[in-house]
Structures are given as structure tokens and as C-alpha cells.
Amino acid sequence: MNRIGGSTLPDTWTRPRVTGDLPGPRSAELLARQDERESNARTYPRRLPVAIAEGRGSFVRDLDGNTFIDFLTGAGVLSLGHNHPELVRAATRQLGRLAHGLDLPTPAKDAFTHAQLAMLPADLRDHMRVHFCGPAGGDAVDAAVKLCKTATGRRDVIAFGGGYHGSGHLAMSLSGLVAQKQPIADRVPGVHFFPYSYCARCPLGLDPGRCAVNCVTLLEETLRDTHGGIPLPAAVIMELVQGEGGVIPARPEFVRRVRDLTAALDIPLIVDEVQTGCGRTGTWLAFERYGIRPDVIVMSKALSGLGLPVAIILYDRRLDVWAPGAHIGTFRGNQTAFAAGAEAVRIVRRDGVLGNVAERGEQIAGRLSELAANPWVRDVRGLGLMWGVELADPQDGHPAGGLARRVQAGALRRGLITEVGGRGDCVIRLLPALNVTPEVVDMACDILLDAIDAA
Ligand code: PMP
């Protein structure tokens, strides 16, 4: 038996089990219907061909009775695993009272707001404001940029290569992913990309062994140059660990210098913590690990802990000069998400979940260290419970996306759900639940190492 959230899981939910080919017949039936009826733009079922019936903790089961360890967790949404019983209870209780509340004050929203502010470092807590956005990370990114443009009266925005901020027109314009932009005639103007500290593939082609973080020097010199070509921007937006870009933790010196530069030039710094927030990297927010203080924080994915959608921005009060109605949306009052989210914060504290993130992260680092000897593994990197294994052709260094997808398929057949991302999808990504147990981490690492070996 396996304890989770005060209840126990029967043994059938404590280990992966896959019988026969994937997809099984019942999954295949739904996948075929989906293929007929749904959009060509759908993504996950193309690489993870299963139809999901139910989930519990770190496990999901498909319609054919196969059980998988879920190291994708709804793209990092299910921070306490599937259907955490206490979160379900909190959400269900709230559903019986009030489900939707626009942006009117409610006790559930008040408790949620209090919980989020209470998780900020003490020196930030009292001068940050919260704005409730439409329920997606991309909408909150939109709000953050509009806020900074309004407050500064400036037009341009600096983003980083490899970054991902969402799929809407503005968020897509701020993101590195070229394939999404290619067929779209116009993008939001005034976005300028600078290199990120991606040392496994240095954007300046330099030797990482003798690195002076020249990637950030380019940004510093350009913004200070009277002939640099870019007017003083409204904001700089960055992820502290690029997730979709291939699990790339920024170098601490890179982040500190971006912060110093933006502070000196009075440019608001937006940290996109949609994926890194809510404890994913071992502190409630990743900027704490880097020892900086941002002006705007974007949060979404794991805020409810349960997969109920909610998105917010937290920002310095001095920026709060936008007008009533400046960023609105019908679905900004998801009371069940608020109730689950406040409960999730309580559980994270009570159960020492952030400590578990650090310990399980070290466990993963230890287990994956043997990959250093594999010539196809270019890099293994991560922070907290965000890990990536980058695969590349040892002859020419080209991203080995085909191989990564074969590893993903092999892991699935063995009972582990992973994600791929990064350049050419060459990075196998792990995003387990933050309360994952050592036993589950061990089983998952066994499967992954086996799948890499076999591929
Ligand atoms: N920012 C980051 C860092 C993300 O990882 C994502 C989603 N992967 C988004 C923004 C967009 O969030 P959503 O898909 O909810 O719009």
C-alpha cells in the first residue's frame, strides 16, 4: 500500500503495468473517433496514443486497464498528483456553494489570495498586488505585458530564444517556437529576442568551459547603446528554467545580470513562473532560488493543484496604474480552483512537499548520472522536479529528436508517461507530481534508463 494525502492506495495503483500493444483496443477506438472529429492541431495523443480513464496520485490508467506512472502530470499542472483526496474534498465542498464569481470578492477567493501572497518572500508580500486573469498561462502573460506597457508608456518587449509563453497572438509572439509562427502573417510588433544561457548549445557558439556569460553581455550592451536599435522596452520577460524550450535552468549569473540591468534602466522584469511556480523547483517560486526580486510574476498551471484552471499575475504596486477593465475575462472567478488552491498551499506546507521536491530531485540526478557515459546523451539537467535528458547525434551534435520520440514511445510501452521538448524535440522531459514517492521515482528511472538503452 502507498500513502497519499492521508488515504491509502491499493496495490494496483502502486506500480505500472502494460499488457499488449499500445494503443489497446478501447483506446484505439477513441483515438480513431478523435482523429475523425477533432482538430488537426491536437498534440499529445500523437505521441502518447492512449485514452485515459482515471488517475490517482502519480498514476493514470487507460481504457484498456494499463497503468502508467505519470511524469507529465497534465504538463506540470497536477502538483499533488491526480485527484488528491483533500483537494477533491475542498473543491467539491466549494462546488456545492458557489462555482463562479466573476471578479467579485468571495471567501474562497480571499483565502486563495491570502495563501498566494503568504507564499511570497516577506520583503515582497506587502507591496505586491494580484490580478486574476482568464484561466490560462498565456492570458496571464498577455496581462503582464499590457500592465508594463501601460505603466511605462513604452512599446517594445525583450524576450529570450527558447522561451515559451503561450499560444495566443501576443504570447506566441514572445515565444521562441518558430513552427507556430511560420504560418501566421503578422505577429505582435516590438518583440526582440536575445540569447538565453543555454550552455549545452551556447547561442554564441562559445566554449561553456570558459564562459563569461557573454550571452547576457549582448543584451547589456545593446540596451545601453545609443545606437543599439531598440528603444527602452516596456518589459523583459523570462523563464528562470525554460520548460518547453528543453528544461534549461538559466545560469544564476545570467539571471542576476538581467535583474541588475533592468533595475538600472527602470525596465520592469516579468518572470514567467507558469511552469516553475507552486514549488516545482523546490522553492514556491523559482526566482527565490536565484536570489532576485522580479517586478511581475506570472503564475498558472499548478495553482489549484488539481488541474482546475486559474491564472494570476502578482506585481509591484507602483505598476498598478492601468484602468478598471484594462484586462478582463468571463472566467476569472473559478471558485473551485480557488478552494483547491488554498488547500494545496496548506498541504504543501503541512507535508513538507518542498523538501520532497529537493530530495526527489537529487534522487533523479543520482539515478540519471549513469547517462553521462552514453554518447547520445548530450546533457542531463534540471532543478527540483523539472528534469530533461537532451539527446544528440555524437557525430555532428544535431538534436536527436527522432531518438527522443522513440525513447518516449519505449517508456510508454514500459509504463511511464514522459514529454519531449526542446530543439527538434530532442529533450525527454520529466515533470512528476511534487509529492512523488522515492519508490515511484526509482521505478520511473528504471523504465527511462531501460528505454534509452533499448532505443
Ligand atoms: N508560460 C510557460 C512558461 C509555460 O510553460 C506555458 C505552458 N506550457 C505557458 C506560459 C502557457 O500556459 P497555457 O498553456 O496555460 O496558456
Side-chain angles (χ1 to χ4, degrees), residues 393-421:
D393 189 319
Q395 303 298 326
D396 54 20
H398 283 148
L403 178 62
R405 283 189 292 277
R406 282 205 301 285
V407 171
Q408 185 188 33
L412 187 71
R413 277 197 304 278
R414 290 165 174 80
L416 173 67
I417 294 176
T418 59
E419 170 62 315
V420 291

PDB file of all heavy atoms in Angstrom, residues 393-421:
ATOM      1  N   ASP A 393      23.126  13.574 -31.766  1.00  0.00           N
ATOM      2  CA  ASP A 393      23.987  12.685 -32.547  1.00  0.00           C
ATOM      3  C   ASP A 393      25.445  12.926 -32.135  1.00  0.00           C
ATOM      4  O   ASP A 393      25.925  14.069 -32.217  1.00  0.00           O
ATOM      5  CB  ASP A 393      23.794  13.004 -34.041  1.00  0.00           C
ATOM      6  CG  ASP A 393      24.490  11.986 -34.925  1.00  0.00           C
ATOM      7  OD1 ASP A 393      25.625  11.584 -34.581  1.00  0.00           O
ATOM      8  OD2 ASP A 393      23.898  11.602 -35.950  1.00  0.00           O
ATOM      9  N   PRO A 394      26.149  11.889 -31.685  1.00  0.00           N
ATOM     10  CA  PRO A 394      27.522  12.120 -31.215  1.00  0.00           C
ATOM     11  C   PRO A 394      28.464  12.542 -32.342  1.00  0.00           C
ATOM     12  O   PRO A 394      29.499  13.159 -32.088  1.00  0.00           O
ATOM     13  CB  PRO A 394      27.939  10.755 -30.629  1.00  0.00           C
ATOM     14  CG  PRO A 394      26.957   9.759 -31.141  1.00  0.00           C
ATOM     15  CD  PRO A 394      25.720  10.483 -31.532  1.00  0.00           C
ATOM     16  N   GLN A 395      28.106  12.249 -33.606  1.00  0.00           N
ATOM     17  CA  GLN A 395      28.986  12.624 -34.726  1.00  0.00           C
ATOM     18  C   GLN A 395      28.945  14.133 -34.987  1.00  0.00           C
ATOM     19  O   GLN A 395      29.976  14.788 -35.043  1.00  0.00           O
ATOM     20  CB  GLN A 395      28.545  11.904 -36.031  1.00  0.00           C
ATOM     21  CG  GLN A 395      28.502  10.395 -35.943  1.00  0.00           C
ATOM     22  CD  GLN A 395      29.879   9.801 -35.644  1.00  0.00           C
ATOM     23  OE1 GLN A 395      30.894  10.334 -36.085  1.00  0.00           O
ATOM     24  NE2 GLN A 395      29.921   8.747 -34.852  1.00  0.00           N
ATOM     25  N   ASP A 396      27.721  14.653 -35.147  1.00  0.00           N
ATOM     26  CA  ASP A 396      27.619  16.055 -35.574  1.00  0.00           C
ATOM     27  C   ASP A 396      26.927  16.968 -34.559  1.00  0.00           C
ATOM     28  O   ASP A 396      26.788  18.173 -34.788  1.00  0.00           O
ATOM     29  CB  ASP A 396      26.871  16.141 -36.917  1.00  0.00           C
ATOM     30  CG  ASP A 396      25.516  15.443 -36.864  1.00  0.00           C
ATOM     31  OD1 ASP A 396      24.999  15.247 -35.746  1.00  0.00           O
ATOM     32  OD2 ASP A 396      24.976  15.104 -37.933  1.00  0.00           O
ATOM     33  N   GLY A 397      26.487  16.409 -33.438  1.00  0.00           N
ATOM     34  CA  GLY A 397      25.852  17.230 -32.400  1.00  0.00           C
ATOM     35  C   GLY A 397      24.424  17.629 -32.703  1.00  0.00           C
ATOM     36  O   GLY A 397      23.805  18.363 -31.927  1.00  0.00           O
ATOM     37  N   HIS A 398      23.858  17.175 -33.825  1.00  0.00           N
ATOM     38  CA  HIS A 398      22.489  17.564 -34.160  1.00  0.00           C
ATOM     39  C   HIS A 398      21.499  17.005 -33.152  1.00  0.00           C
ATOM     40  O   HIS A 398      21.647  15.867 -32.694  1.00  0.00           O
ATOM     41  CB  HIS A 398      22.109  17.066 -35.574  1.00  0.00           C
ATOM     42  CG  HIS A 398      22.706  17.904 -36.651  1.00  0.00           C
ATOM     43  ND1 HIS A 398      23.081  17.398 -37.875  1.00  0.00           N
ATOM     44  CD2 HIS A 398      23.011  19.223 -36.684  1.00  0.00           C
ATOM     45  CE1 HIS A 398      23.595  18.372 -38.609  1.00  0.00           C
ATOM     46  NE2 HIS A 398      23.562  19.481 -37.910  1.00  0.00           N
ATOM     47  N   PRO A 399      20.468  17.792 -32.822  1.00  0.00           N
ATOM     48  CA  PRO A 399      19.445  17.304 -31.893  1.00  0.00           C
ATOM     49  C   PRO A 399      18.837  15.998 -32.406  1.00  0.00           C
ATOM     50  O   PRO A 399      18.462  15.918 -33.580  1.00  0.00           O
ATOM     51  CB  PRO A 399      18.393  18.423 -31.904  1.00  0.00           C
ATOM     52  CG  PRO A 399      19.116  19.643 -32.379  1.00  0.00           C
ATOM     53  CD  PRO A 399      20.187  19.166 -33.303  1.00  0.00           C
ATOM     54  N   ALA A 400      18.766  14.993 -31.528  1.00  0.00           N
ATOM     55  CA  ALA A 400      18.270  13.668 -31.934  1.00  0.00           C
ATOM     56  C   ALA A 400      16.803  13.521 -31.538  1.00  0.00           C
ATOM     57  O   ALA A 400      16.454  12.726 -30.655  1.00  0.00           O
ATOM     58  CB  ALA A 400      19.145  12.574 -31.319  1.00  0.00           C
ATOM     59  N   GLY A 401      15.946  14.315 -32.205  1.00  0.00           N
ATOM     60  CA  GLY A 401      14.519  14.302 -31.878  1.00  0.00           C
ATOM     61  C   GLY A 401      13.858  12.958 -32.151  1.00  0.00           C
ATOM     62  O   GLY A 401      13.013  12.506 -31.384  1.00  0.00           O
ATOM     63  N   GLY A 402      14.264  12.314 -33.244  1.00  0.00           N
ATOM     64  CA  GLY A 402      13.678  11.005 -33.588  1.00  0.00           C
ATOM     65  C   GLY A 402      13.973  10.000 -32.484  1.00  0.00           C
ATOM     66  O   GLY A 402      13.096   9.222 -32.072  1.00  0.00           O
ATOM     67  N   LEU A 403      15.203  10.035 -32.006  1.00  0.00           N
ATOM     68  CA  LEU A 403      15.582   9.114 -30.931  1.00  0.00           C
ATOM     69  C   LEU A 403      14.794   9.421 -29.656  1.00  0.00           C
ATOM     70  O   LEU A 403      14.308   8.506 -28.978  1.00  0.00           O
ATOM     71  CB  LEU A 403      17.087   9.233 -30.669  1.00  0.00           C
ATOM     72  CG  LEU A 403      17.658   8.371 -29.552  1.00  0.00           C
ATOM     73  CD1 LEU A 403      17.480   6.885 -29.853  1.00  0.00           C
ATOM     74  CD2 LEU A 403      19.137   8.684 -29.323  1.00  0.00           C
ATOM     75  N   ALA A 404      14.646  10.704 -29.341  1.00  0.00           N
ATOM     76  CA  ALA A 404      13.903  11.081 -28.124  1.00  0.00           C
ATOM     77  C   ALA A 404      12.462  10.584 -28.213  1.00  0.00           C
ATOM     78  O   ALA A 404      11.904  10.089 -27.228  1.00  0.00           O
ATOM     79  CB  ALA A 404      13.940  12.592 -27.917  1.00  0.00           C
ATOM     80  N   ARG A 405      11.879  10.696 -29.396  1.00  0.00           N
ATOM     81  CA  ARG A 405      10.497  10.217 -29.535  1.00  0.00           C
ATOM     82  C   ARG A 405      10.429   8.704 -29.428  1.00  0.00           C
ATOM     83  O   ARG A 405       9.464   8.148 -28.901  1.00  0.00           O
ATOM     84  CB  ARG A 405       9.887  10.720 -30.854  1.00  0.00           C
ATOM     85  CG  ARG A 405       9.479  12.203 -30.754  1.00  0.00           C
ATOM     86  CD  ARG A 405       8.678  12.648 -31.958  1.00  0.00           C
ATOM     87  NE  ARG A 405       9.488  12.668 -33.164  1.00  0.00           N
ATOM     88  CZ  ARG A 405      10.288  13.697 -33.511  1.00  0.00           C
ATOM     89  NH1 ARG A 405      10.359  14.756 -32.744  1.00  0.00           N
ATOM     90  NH2 ARG A 405      11.002  13.653 -34.614  1.00  0.00           N
ATOM     91  N   ARG A 406      11.478   8.013 -29.891  1.00  0.00           N
ATOM     92  CA  ARG A 406      11.498   6.544 -29.718  1.00  0.00           C
ATOM     93  C   ARG A 406      11.633   6.180 -28.237  1.00  0.00           C
ATOM     94  O   ARG A 406      11.019   5.229 -27.759  1.00  0.00           O
ATOM     95  CB  ARG A 406      12.635   5.914 -30.533  1.00  0.00           C
ATOM     96  CG  ARG A 406      12.318   5.789 -32.021  1.00  0.00           C
ATOM     97  CD  ARG A 406      13.128   4.677 -32.679  1.00  0.00           C
ATOM     98  NE  ARG A 406      14.570   4.871 -32.569  1.00  0.00           N
ATOM     99  CZ  ARG A 406      15.283   5.754 -33.286  1.00  0.00           C
ATOM    100  NH1 ARG A 406      14.669   6.529 -34.160  1.00  0.00           N
ATOM    101  NH2 ARG A 406      16.581   5.852 -33.122  1.00  0.00           N
ATOM    102  N   VAL A 407      12.438   6.952 -27.518  1.00  0.00           N
ATOM    103  CA  VAL A 407      12.565   6.709 -26.066  1.00  0.00           C
ATOM    104  C   VAL A 407      11.214   6.959 -25.394  1.00  0.00           C
ATOM    105  O   VAL A 407      10.772   6.162 -24.549  1.00  0.00           O
ATOM    106  CB  VAL A 407      13.652   7.629 -25.446  1.00  0.00           C
ATOM    107  CG1 VAL A 407      13.630   7.530 -23.923  1.00  0.00           C
ATOM    108  CG2 VAL A 407      15.031   7.264 -25.981  1.00  0.00           C
ATOM    109  N   GLN A 408      10.547   8.034 -25.789  1.00  0.00           N
ATOM    110  CA  GLN A 408       9.242   8.347 -25.192  1.00  0.00           C
ATOM    111  C   GLN A 408       8.256   7.192 -25.440  1.00  0.00           C
ATOM    112  O   GLN A 408       7.538   6.759 -24.527  1.00  0.00           O
ATOM    113  CB  GLN A 408       8.695   9.648 -25.789  1.00  0.00           C
ATOM    114  CG  GLN A 408       7.401  10.109 -25.147  1.00  0.00           C
ATOM    115  CD  GLN A 408       6.761  11.283 -25.869  1.00  0.00           C
ATOM    116  OE1 GLN A 408       6.874  11.399 -27.096  1.00  0.00           O
ATOM    117  NE2 GLN A 408       6.110  12.151 -25.126  1.00  0.00           N
ATOM    118  N   ALA A 409       8.251   6.689 -26.673  1.00  0.00           N
ATOM    119  CA  ALA A 409       7.339   5.583 -27.011  1.00  0.00           C
ATOM    120  C   ALA A 409       7.722   4.317 -26.240  1.00  0.00           C
ATOM    121  O   ALA A 409       6.857   3.584 -25.737  1.00  0.00           O
ATOM    122  CB  ALA A 409       7.360   5.322 -28.519  1.00  0.00           C
ATOM    123  N   GLY A 410       9.036   4.078 -26.118  1.00  0.00           N
ATOM    124  CA  GLY A 410       9.512   2.893 -25.389  1.00  0.00           C
ATOM    125  C   GLY A 410       9.167   2.981 -23.915  1.00  0.00           C
ATOM    126  O   GLY A 410       8.790   1.987 -23.282  1.00  0.00           O
ATOM    127  N   ALA A 411       9.307   4.180 -23.353  1.00  0.00           N
ATOM    128  CA  ALA A 411       8.969   4.371 -21.932  1.00  0.00           C
ATOM    129  C   ALA A 411       7.473   4.134 -21.737  1.00  0.00           C
ATOM    130  O   ALA A 411       7.059   3.481 -20.770  1.00  0.00           O
ATOM    131  CB  ALA A 411       9.363   5.776 -21.480  1.00  0.00           C
ATOM    132  N   LEU A 412       6.674   4.632 -22.669  1.00  0.00           N
ATOM    133  CA  LEU A 412       5.217   4.436 -22.546  1.00  0.00           C
ATOM    134  C   LEU A 412       4.874   2.947 -22.554  1.00  0.00           C
ATOM    135  O   LEU A 412       4.081   2.485 -21.727  1.00  0.00           O
ATOM    136  CB  LEU A 412       4.502   5.162 -23.695  1.00  0.00           C
ATOM    137  CG  LEU A 412       2.983   5.176 -23.604  1.00  0.00           C
ATOM    138  CD1 LEU A 412       2.515   6.102 -22.479  1.00  0.00           C
ATOM    139  CD2 LEU A 412       2.350   5.610 -24.931  1.00  0.00           C
ATOM    140  N   ARG A 413       5.494   2.208 -23.454  1.00  0.00           N
ATOM    141  CA  ARG A 413       5.224   0.756 -23.523  1.00  0.00           C
ATOM    142  C   ARG A 413       5.616   0.057 -22.230  1.00  0.00           C
ATOM    143  O   ARG A 413       5.064  -0.961 -21.867  1.00  0.00           O
ATOM    144  CB  ARG A 413       5.983   0.130 -24.697  1.00  0.00           C
ATOM    145  CG  ARG A 413       5.281   0.261 -26.045  1.00  0.00           C
ATOM    146  CD  ARG A 413       5.855  -0.720 -27.050  1.00  0.00           C
ATOM    147  NE  ARG A 413       7.308  -0.569 -27.213  1.00  0.00           N
ATOM    148  CZ  ARG A 413       7.884   0.349 -28.001  1.00  0.00           C
ATOM    149  NH1 ARG A 413       7.131   1.177 -28.697  1.00  0.00           N
ATOM    150  NH2 ARG A 413       9.195   0.438 -28.076  1.00  0.00           N
ATOM    151  N   ARG A 414       6.611   0.631 -21.541  1.00  0.00           N
ATOM    152  CA  ARG A 414       7.061   0.040 -20.271  1.00  0.00           C
ATOM    153  C   ARG A 414       6.289   0.610 -19.082  1.00  0.00           C
ATOM    154  O   ARG A 414       6.557   0.253 -17.946  1.00  0.00           O
ATOM    155  CB  ARG A 414       8.560   0.287 -20.087  1.00  0.00           C
ATOM    156  CG  ARG A 414       9.432  -0.501 -21.050  1.00  0.00           C
ATOM    157  CD  ARG A 414      10.855   0.072 -21.051  1.00  0.00           C
ATOM    158  NE  ARG A 414      11.768  -0.728 -21.849  1.00  0.00           N
ATOM    159  CZ  ARG A 414      11.859  -0.656 -23.172  1.00  0.00           C
ATOM    160  NH1 ARG A 414      11.097   0.176 -23.851  1.00  0.00           N
ATOM    161  NH2 ARG A 414      12.725  -1.424 -23.825  1.00  0.00           N
ATOM    162  N   GLY A 415       5.415   1.597 -19.338  1.00  0.00           N
ATOM    163  CA  GLY A 415       4.565   2.082 -18.249  1.00  0.00           C
ATOM    164  C   GLY A 415       4.951   3.431 -17.669  1.00  0.00           C
ATOM    165  O   GLY A 415       4.616   3.719 -16.517  1.00  0.00           O
ATOM    166  N   LEU A 416       5.626   4.285 -18.459  1.00  0.00           N
ATOM    167  CA  LEU A 416       5.988   5.610 -17.960  1.00  0.00           C
ATOM    168  C   LEU A 416       5.607   6.675 -18.994  1.00  0.00           C
ATOM    169  O   LEU A 416       6.021   6.591 -20.154  1.00  0.00           O
ATOM    170  CB  LEU A 416       7.505   5.690 -17.696  1.00  0.00           C
ATOM    171  CG  LEU A 416       8.054   7.083 -17.334  1.00  0.00           C
ATOM    172  CD1 LEU A 416       7.534   7.551 -15.977  1.00  0.00           C
ATOM    173  CD2 LEU A 416       9.590   7.071 -17.349  1.00  0.00           C
ATOM    174  N   ILE A 417       4.843   7.658 -18.550  1.00  0.00           N
ATOM    175  CA  ILE A 417       4.473   8.774 -19.423  1.00  0.00           C
ATOM    176  C   ILE A 417       5.469   9.906 -19.231  1.00  0.00           C
ATOM    177  O   ILE A 417       5.680  10.390 -18.113  1.00  0.00           O
ATOM    178  CB  ILE A 417       3.045   9.274 -19.106  1.00  0.00           C
ATOM    179  CG1 ILE A 417       2.033   8.177 -19.448  1.00  0.00           C
ATOM    180  CG2 ILE A 417       2.728  10.553 -19.872  1.00  0.00           C
ATOM    181  CD1 ILE A 417       0.597   8.529 -19.088  1.00  0.00           C
ATOM    182  N   THR A 418       6.129  10.312 -20.323  1.00  0.00           N
ATOM    183  CA  THR A 418       7.067  11.437 -20.303  1.00  0.00           C
ATOM    184  C   THR A 418       6.646  12.422 -21.391  1.00  0.00           C
ATOM    185  O   THR A 418       5.706  12.171 -22.142  1.00  0.00           O
ATOM    186  CB  THR A 418       8.506  10.969 -20.616  1.00  0.00           C
ATOM    187  OG1 THR A 418       8.505  10.354 -21.904  1.00  0.00           O
ATOM    188  CG2 THR A 418       9.022   9.989 -19.570  1.00  0.00           C
ATOM    189  N   GLU A 419       7.373  13.525 -21.493  1.00  0.00           N
ATOM    190  CA  GLU A 419       7.114  14.501 -22.550  1.00  0.00           C
ATOM    191  C   GLU A 419       8.425  14.723 -23.286  1.00  0.00           C
ATOM    192  O   GLU A 419       9.508  14.474 -22.735  1.00  0.00           O
ATOM    193  CB  GLU A 419       6.597  15.803 -21.896  1.00  0.00           C
ATOM    194  CG  GLU A 419       6.490  17.008 -22.783  1.00  0.00           C
ATOM    195  CD  GLU A 419       5.521  16.868 -23.944  1.00  0.00           C
ATOM    196  OE1 GLU A 419       5.535  15.814 -24.618  1.00  0.00           O
ATOM    197  OE2 GLU A 419       4.785  17.821 -24.205  1.00  0.00           O
ATOM    198  N   VAL A 420       8.348  15.168 -24.524  1.00  0.00           N
ATOM    199  CA  VAL A 420       9.568  15.601 -25.203  1.00  0.00           C
ATOM    200  C   VAL A 420       9.442  17.090 -25.510  1.00  0.00           C
ATOM    201  O   VAL A 420       8.337  17.631 -25.588  1.00  0.00           O
ATOM    202  CB  VAL A 420       9.849  14.820 -26.512  1.00  0.00           C
ATOM    203  CG1 VAL A 420      10.214  13.378 -26.215  1.00  0.00           C
ATOM    204  CG2 VAL A 420       8.678  14.912 -27.468  1.00  0.00           C
ATOM    205  N   GLY A 421      10.559  17.762 -25.640  1.00  0.00           N
ATOM    206  CA  GLY A 421      10.533  19.198 -25.926  1.00  0.00           C
ATOM    207  C   GLY A 421      11.914  19.641 -26.365  1.00  0.00           C
ATOM    208  O   GLY A 421      12.786  18.818 -26.656  1.00  0.00           O
TER     209      GLY A 421
END
